[in-house]
Amino acid sequence: MPVTRLRNLACTFALMLALLAAPAMSSAPSQAPPDLLHHLWSAYWITCPGAPERGFGVYFFRKAFELDQAPEHFVIHTSADDRYQLYVNGTRVLLGPAKGDLFHWRFETLDIAADLHPGTNELAAVVWNFASQAPMAQMTNETGFLLQGDGDANAVDTNSTWKVLRGRAFQMIPVGDQTHHAYTVVGPGERIDASLYPWGWRQTRYDDSAWQLAEQLTPAAPRGIQDTPSRWMLVQRRIPPMEAHVERLVRIRRYSGPPGSHPTDGFLNGTAPLQIPAHSEVRLLLDQTYETTAYPELLTSGGRGAVITLTYAEALFDAHHEKGNRNEIEGKHIEGYKDIFVSDGGAHRLFRPLWWRAYRYIQIDATTFREPLILEDFRGEFTAYPFVRRAQFESNDPSLEKIMQVGWRTARLCAHETYMDCPYYEQLQYAGDTRIQALISLYMTGDDRLVKNAIGLLNDSRTSEGLTQSRYPSFLAQYIPPFSLYWIGMMHDLWWYHGGVDFLRSFLVNMRGVLAWYEARLLPSGMLGKVPWWDFVDWTPEWKSGVPPQEANGQSSILSLELAAGLEEAADLESAFGSHAEALHDRELATRINQEVYRSCWDPHRGLLADTPARQHFSQHADILGVLAGAIPLPKQRKTMEKVLSDSSLTQCSYYFRFYLFRAMEMAGLGNELVAQLGPWRHMLELGLTTFAETPEPTRSDCHAWSAHPDFDLLAMVAGIEPAAPGFREVAIRPHLGPLTMLRASMPVPQGKIEVSYHRD
């Protein structure tokens, strides 16, 4: 990329590559001993006798065991299908398994010695299967639970000595009809009848004499051994546990109920319970004041038979089903998925759903009957991947720091056991979204573990034809061929911005499979022919389902240029640590595609690339990719990009594709225009958004990580911190300050930290 000359600028920068201490992160589970990964385990997968193999169910498992003395180490390995929470002597110690597929089913390893004591100890787990209502990101075989101990700890192995109880308190609440028919695949809400719940089930003194003995299924086995006995092919979890901390709601925005029972702010901080009389109805709208992802926790006493409904929403809606300013509630109502808790009248009953919720607003609707109800406390337990922000950005424009903060929250809420497009509606890891999320992670934190996890999972999704699936894990296969190219881009980004050659080397052969799939669909002219599946590029009003214009036989300049760019990125990887012959082939093919796109689609009168050789449709996208792939000659790039920025008749980029717009601006020497191009993000802030939305208004999702890319842009392009060699072995400082007169920034790199400071006299 060209170095931008800074005129009239007294520029000073301090560049520091000082080795830092390891960042503070949640500790990862222990590593399994190597022998465990090569032989049958002594533990069995177990289930509840008579339970449906693949039907809905919630199951409680327990195992008591004796210890003469507190052990120095007590290592266990555990997993379940679909999900589990594990308790040791009443304390929650694990949630899992980390998402994968049946050919790569994750297990967790943990040393629980610190939670054990001499005498009787209790392991307890709740396992659930949401069956047909499961989140689309959740793969499944059949309901089962697994735990194995190392050495003497194998006395707690799962087998028929464990006890199990089928939960009768739970019912699913399908979400499909609760989100105004927006595409929603996050799993069900839950209805819990407290009178049927086994309160105290995870404590050591609980009486489980009426519980059944568990049914053994098959021995557990790691992936790769001969004659695997089940479809669960176990592999070690590769990411740390999720972050967890208490998160209090901030404001009471609306209340209706009996006179004299109005809640105070003490209810929000857990010091003033809300007393609800018998035969009453209460409605309470709470505002977190920002969007979050958390397990809601409601503590109640009394109120036998009372029905408490929790409704979760990113924003409120007016009568026209528009969101408007997210901070305003007048004339608006809540819509969203729900949980329902039916009280049994007991004391200190804690309701917490099995899966976390995304929300800014929560509405509590409570109806009491013969007994008064006490809402003792209501709070959330925040959950997300344990990223630690290590990058900083400060300038004379306060709106940029605000954009950075909101972008970081957006990125965090869309990163859990996998990256996800949005936490409220889908929770699916799409390659196009994830490429941007991965760059934000690397620049903001230096933590590459979730990036590598994503690359590996998408690799696991490959078909026999060579393509990756567009999103993975997902029990419903979907294919967006350009996203397979962005998977290659993710690998290129990891190599360029962080290193990781040893990790990436094994993926090269599968990368070649993606490119071979594409090469087989090239026309003799060199442009891409008709491509099957969903050729999504960007959400724009002019394109149906986000697919750009094509001729009858294909010949889309946009799709062809995406392939050319992918070939160049693949060639870089091949040249660095693969096959030089493959690199030469990829570059020659990219050149051929570029030349044909320019020959057939360049309109000399408009000075722009058309979307197809018919030259009837023009978009920002074609010229952005023409610059990035090198199809537009270098002397014409700047003038072309000036037209891209000024010509409103072109099909415009959404928030997502503006990531590539900004890259093309920089390549064409227009990097100093970036700060002025952040108007859409400033507008979202004016609308009261606390995370960045999926699309311009009206938008479905208020939190969509592909729109958080200014966090990367401000550091890489405005502050100008870029690698000049893979893994930041060399550094290029190329700032694009635009109108800014002061800027200070810092960010982590594999070798330590880079700090820059600029001042314009």
Side-chain angles (χ1 to χ4, degrees):
M1 297 181 183
V3 177
T4 302
R5 295 186 180 275
L6 300 177
R7 297 181 179 177
N8 302 319
L9 181 67
C11 173
T12 63
F13 64 86
L15 174 61
M16 180 172 67
L17 288 175
L19 294 179
L20 304 179
M25 300 175 183
S26 297
S27 59
S30 307
Q31 290 297 305
D35 189 62
L36 197 71
L37 304 177
H38 302 290
H39 302 284
L40 273 177
W41 293 16
S42 56
Y44 281 77
W45 285 92
I46 59 174
T47 190
C48 181
E53 291 182 357
R54 295 174 177 83
F56 167 71
V58 179
Y59 306 94
F60 302 95
F61 293 87
R62 284 171 54 87
K63 173 71 174 182
F65 60 102
E66 301 291 328
L67 291 174
D68 295 333
Q69 59 185 10
E72 184 177 353
H73 295 287
F74 200 99
V75 178
I76 59 170
H77 317 279
T78 186
S79 189
D81 186 344
D82 291 353
R83 305 281 308 180
Y84 75 93
Q85 296 176 10
L86 181 70
Y87 297 82
V88 179
N89 293 327
T91 299
R92 187 187 303 112
V93 297
L94 275 177
L95 295 87
K99 288 193 176 87
D101 59 29
L102 294 177
F103 296 100
H104 311 85
W105 195 266
R106 273 39 175 190
F107 69 90
E108 282 76 31
T109 296
L110 187 67
D111 189 340
I112 61 172
D115 296 294
L116 302 176
H117 53 250
T120 302
N121 291 266
E122 192 76 45
L123 292 176
V126 57
V127 175
W128 64 93
N129 187 335
F130 284 144
S132 62
Q133 297 295 320
M136 189 170 286
Q138 180 62 57
M139 311 292 263
T140 183
N141 177 28
E142 62 175 295
T143 304
F145 176 58
L146 169 68
L147 186 146
Q148 175 159 313
D150 279 355
D152 293 340
N154 65 15
V156 300
D157 287 2
T158 45
N159 52 37
S160 58
T161 65
W162 277 67
K163 290 193 169 184
V164 61
L165 175 71
R166 184 176 183 180
R168 304 290 180 180
F170 294 82
Q171 293 179 337
M172 295 186 294
I173 307 174
V175 301
D177 297 332
Q178 303 177 47
T179 53
H180 204 75
H181 307 294
Y183 183 65
T184 310
V185 289
V186 297
E190 300 167 31
R191 186 183 190 276
I192 299 178
D193 185 341
S195 67
L196 301 175
Y197 190 87
W199 297 103
W201 66 274
R202 59 180 184 258
Q203 304 299 328
T204 55
R205 292 185 174 84
Y206 179 81
D207 181 8
D208 60 10
S209 59
W211 289 27
Q212 294 178 278
L213 293 176
E215 176 185 346
Q216 294 182 176
L217 295 173
T218 61
R223 174 179 170 82
I225 70 166
Q226 180 179 340
D227 298 328
T228 302
S230 77
R231 293 197 63 198
W232 295 294
M233 299 184 184
L234 295 168
V235 297
Q236 179 86 46
R237 177 187 181 119
R238 58 164 69 108
I239 58 173
M242 298 300 99
E243 180 180 339
H245 64 259
V246 172
E247 188 172 51
R248 290 280 175 187
L249 285 114
V250 178
R251 295 182 64 190
I252 299 170
R253 298 297 300 273
R254 187 184 289 157
Y255 175 80
S256 63
S261 62
H262 196 290
T264 66
D265 287 344
F267 175 67
L268 297 177
N269 60 37
T271 61
L274 175 59
Q275 310 277 343
I276 303 176
H279 303 292
S280 299
E281 292 185 359
V282 161
R283 173 163 289 178
L284 182 62
L285 180 66
L286 303 177
D287 186 356
Q288 186 72 53
T289 70
Y290 53 85
E291 185 157 349
T292 191
T293 52
Y295 291 92
E297 295 183 338
L298 176 65
L299 187 65
T300 74
S301 286
R304 183 183 303 274
V307 179
I308 307 161
T309 301
L310 306 181
T311 305
Y312 312 96
E314 294 184 305
L316 304 183
F317 296 91
D318 64 18
H320 304 289
H321 205 259
E322 294 178 355
K323 298 178 181 179
N325 190 295
R326 304 318 194 256
N327 298 322
E328 298 170 357
I329 70 167
E330 192 65 34
K332 295 182 179 180
H333 64 281
I334 196 167
E335 295 179 12
Y337 40 75
K338 298 176 171 63
D339 290 314
I340 298 174
F341 181 55
V342 182
S343 175
D344 66 342
H348 314 306
R349 300 304 202 205
L350 179 65
F351 165 69
R352 170 186 164 120
L354 296 169
W355 191 242
W356 52 265
R357 309 301 185 208
Y359 57 85
R360 171 179 170 172
Y361 291 98
I362 299 181
Q363 182 167 287
I364 302 177
D365 289 279
T367 301
T368 60
F369 297 97
R370 294 183 178 181
E371 296 183 3
L373 172 69
I374 303 174
L375 302 186
E376 297 183 60
D377 194 10
F378 186 57
R379 64 191 184 190
E381 183 185 80
F382 175 81
T383 183
Y385 183 88
F387 279 127
V388 176
R389 176 175 170 174
R390 299 170 62 202
Q392 300 299 326
F393 185 94
E394 179 185 1
S395 75
N396 61 291
D397 183 348
S399 71
L400 298 183
E401 288 94 288
K402 182 66 173 178
I403 288 171
M404 179 77 80
Q405 293 166 10
V406 172
W408 178 234
R409 180 182 297 119
T410 307
R412 288 227 62 197
L413 300 188
C414 296
H416 290 256
E417 290 173 0
T418 66
Y419 292 108
M420 52 186 61
D421 63 327
C422 59
Y424 190 87
Y425 290 96
E426 296 190 49
Q427 300 175 12
L428 287 163
Q429 181 170 253
Y430 287 86
D433 308 56
T434 299
R435 181 183 190 180
I436 294 172
Q437 294 171 269
L439 285 170
I440 295 169
S441 300
L442 294 176
Y443 260 60
M444 294 292 285
T445 75
D447 186 343
D448 67 353
R449 291 172 292 180
L450 200 61
V451 180
K452 291 178 176 177
N453 189 63
I455 291 171
L457 283 168
L458 290 165
N459 177 71
D460 294 341
S461 77
R462 288 174 304 106
T463 69
S464 58
E465 295 176 303
L467 282 184
T468 61
Q469 294 183 36
S470 64
R471 60 192 187 193
Y472 207 73
S474 171
F475 64 71
L476 181 63
Q478 183 195 77
Y479 300 94
I480 300 176
F483 280 17
S484 291
L485 298 173
Y486 290 145
W487 174 64
I488 295 173
M490 287 174 60
M491 291 190 281
H492 185 278
D493 293 342
L494 179 64
W495 164 73
W496 184 246
Y497 291 99
H498 205 73
V501 170
D502 291 339
F503 170 78
L504 291 168
R505 198 185 306 275
S506 65
F507 298 109
L508 291 187
V509 64
N510 299 331
M511 175 185 78
R512 295 166 192 152
V514 169
L515 298 177
W517 184 91
Y518 265 101
E519 188 172 354
R521 288 159 175 80
L522 286 173
L523 298 173
S525 66
M527 284 187 71
L528 193 61
K530 198 71 175 175
V531 176
W533 307 110
W534 183 17
D535 299 326
F536 172 83
V537 171
D538 191 17
W539 289 124
T540 68
E542 295 89 344
W543 296 350
K544 183 179 179 181
S545 300
V547 178
Q550 301 180 52
E551 305 289 355
N553 64 341
Q555 297 197 88
S556 160
S557 65
I558 294 170
L559 297 177
S560 298
L561 290 169
E562 284 184 316
L563 173 56
L567 284 162
E568 287 288 356
E569 289 172 328
D572 286 347
L573 298 178
E574 296 281 13
S575 295
F577 54 91
S579 163
H580 288 283
E582 292 284 352
L584 180 62
H585 173 80
D586 291 344
R587 294 198 198 282
E588 289 176 345
L589 193 56
T591 299
R592 177 184 163 201
I593 294 169
N594 282 336
Q595 289 173 344
E596 179 57 25
V597 168
Y598 185 75
R599 186 195 68 79
S600 62
C601 298
W602 180 257
D603 187 317
H605 301 292
R606 296 193 65 173
L608 294 168
L609 278 176
D611 293 346
T612 72
R615 304 182 191 177
Q616 295 178 347
H617 303 279
F618 291 83
S619 65
Q620 289 184 318
H621 306 72
D623 292 280
I624 290 166
L625 291 166
V627 170
L628 294 177
I632 299 175
L634 186 62
K636 295 183 177 181
Q637 289 184 2
R638 184 184 181 99
K639 190 171 183 179
T640 298
M641 288 305 299
E642 287 173 346
K643 292 179 180 179
V644 166
L645 295 176
S646 63
D647 190 345
S648 60
S649 70
L650 302 177
T651 297
Q652 300 291 296
C653 296
S654 75
Y655 302 148
Y656 161 55
F657 216 82
R658 287 174 76 88
F659 170 79
Y660 297 99
L661 169 66
F662 294 163
R663 309 281 79 70
M665 287 167 53
E666 184 178 19
M667 289 190 69
L670 295 173
N672 281 301
E673 301 299 317
L674 186 139
V675 172
Q677 289 292 321
L678 294 176
W681 283 268
R682 294 186 176 94
H683 181 61
M684 282 189 274
L685 298 180
E686 292 169 358
L687 287 175
L689 281 151
T690 62
T691 48
F692 289 133
E694 180 177 15
T695 62
E697 299 287 279
T699 185
R700 177 190 63 149
S701 167
D702 272 9
C703 181
H704 220 84
W706 68 18
S707 298
H709 60 78
D711 277 27
F712 173 78
D713 304 326
L714 289 169
L715 291 167
M717 192 166 162
V718 177
I721 306 172
E722 288 265 18
F728 275 98
R729 293 198 307 267
E730 298 176 14
V731 182
I733 303 297
R734 293 188 284 247
H736 300 89
L737 303 188
L740 298 179
T741 58
M742 184 278 290
L743 187 153
R744 286 190 293 269
S746 65
M747 58 162 282
V749 294
Q751 300 86 347
K753 181 171 71 172
I754 294 174
E755 295 179 348
V756 295
S757 176
Y758 309 97
H759 177 71
R760 189 194 303 271
D761 291 336

